[in-house]
Amino acid sequence: MFIVKPMPEQISPELVAELEKCEVATIGHVLHSGFVDREIRAVLPSKRVAGTAVTLRIPHADSTLLHYLTAYVRPGDIVVIERCGDDKHACWGGVITNAMKSAGVKAGVIDGPATDFSEIVKVDMPMWCRGPSPITTKLLGLEGAMNVPVNVGGQTIEPGDAVLCDESGVVVLKPAQAPAVAARAIQMQENEIKLLARLAAGEKLPDITGARAMVEAKLAEA
């Protein structure tokens, strides 16, 4: 059985640009949830991309719906794929890489393996997955769901969510939440530049952060 729902509204280009200024690890200083399992890793670690979640649930060895989706994805989308625990079959390979790249897709995020990493590198297609596998899915025409809530790396992701991916991992934000998170992360990154300048000038980190005062206050109490 196939479930096919409409494509979600895309987040604004302005929000995408702001998110792409943010490091996922900086957002990790702000939030404790929304991060997918750290075993879902970048194939191209130098890439940082943000976009709109287009979701897919494709169990076991059937990738028919992923092929179907390539006709509907848009520039700015990030394809997020739930594999229902299948860590054996690679649903995304060289042909899908080229089809998604041609459509303007920003990235793929798969809770499972991919294949043809050399083609992913050649095409320069940002990809986050659980590593490579030589065993691929097939066009079985059995089942799948498109643009429904999915579970990827322990996070529930809905179509239309904002997704940010970089070398540190993947974080998913609600569009209404994302602007404030991005603004805070950008401010933290700007503050870090100032902190590094103070370190370069000879100040000690625990004096800047207050860690020395905290430790010495506790020692004094003891």
Side-chain angles (χ1 to χ4, degrees):
M1 176 180 177
F2 290 109
I3 299 171
V4 176
K5 295 196 174 182
M7 296 295 284
E9 180 180 352
Q10 291 185 301
I11 64 176
S12 71
E14 293 77 15
L15 178 55
V16 170
E18 288 300 289
L19 285 171
E20 289 184 343
K21 296 176 185 176
C22 304
E23 299 175 11
V24 173
T26 303
I27 294 177
H29 289 291
V30 178
L31 302 178
H32 295 283
S33 62
F35 301 90
V36 307
D37 182 4
R38 61 190 179 89
E39 294 301 321
I40 297 177
R41 299 180 180 179
V43 177
L44 305 175
S46 64
K47 299 295 182 180
R48 183 190 302 157
V49 293
T52 302
V54 171
T55 62
L56 205 63
R57 182 186 302 124
I58 48 173
H60 52 75
D62 186 8
S63 59
T64 307
L65 200 58
L66 177 56
H67 283 242
Y68 178 87
L69 176 63
T70 63
Y72 297 94
V73 285
R74 308 152 297 185
D77 287 338
I78 292 181
V79 177
V80 181
I81 304 176
E82 177 183 339
R83 295 292 286 118
C84 304
D86 187 333
D87 197 38
K88 177 180 179 181
H89 297 94
C91 65
W92 187 304
V95 171
I96 294 294
T97 294
N98 280 272
M100 293 295 188
K101 185 73 174 185
S102 296
V105 168
K106 298 286 287 291
V109 178
I110 306 172
D111 198 346
T115 195
D116 297 333
F117 278 24
S118 61
E119 192 71 11
I120 290 170
V121 173
K122 176 183 174 182
V123 175
D124 197 35
M125 181 75 205
M127 167 60 60
W128 282 258
C129 66
R130 291 189 182 273
S133 173
I135 307 171
T136 65
T137 52
K138 311 294 189 291
L139 290 174
L140 302 177
L142 297 175
E143 61 180 309
M146 180 174 120
N147 288 320
V148 299
V150 296
N151 187 297
V152 171
Q155 294 297 324
T156 299
I157 303 172
E158 296 184 308
D161 282 349
V163 183
L164 173 65
C165 319
D166 71 8
E167 62 183 0
S168 295
V170 179
V171 64
V172 181
L173 305 165
K174 295 302 175 188
Q177 169 198 28
V181 172
R184 186 172 176 189
I186 291 167
Q187 184 61 60
M188 291 179 71
Q189 289 169 187
E190 291 172 353
N191 291 341
E192 182 175 312
I193 293 171
K194 297 174 184 177
L195 183 150
L196 294 176
R198 292 174 66 181
L199 288 175
E203 291 188 66
K204 301 300 183 183
L205 182 61
D207 296 326
I208 298 172
T209 63
R212 190 196 300 273
M214 291 181 190
V215 172
E216 292 183 352
K218 290 295 183 181
L219 291 173
E221 289 175 7

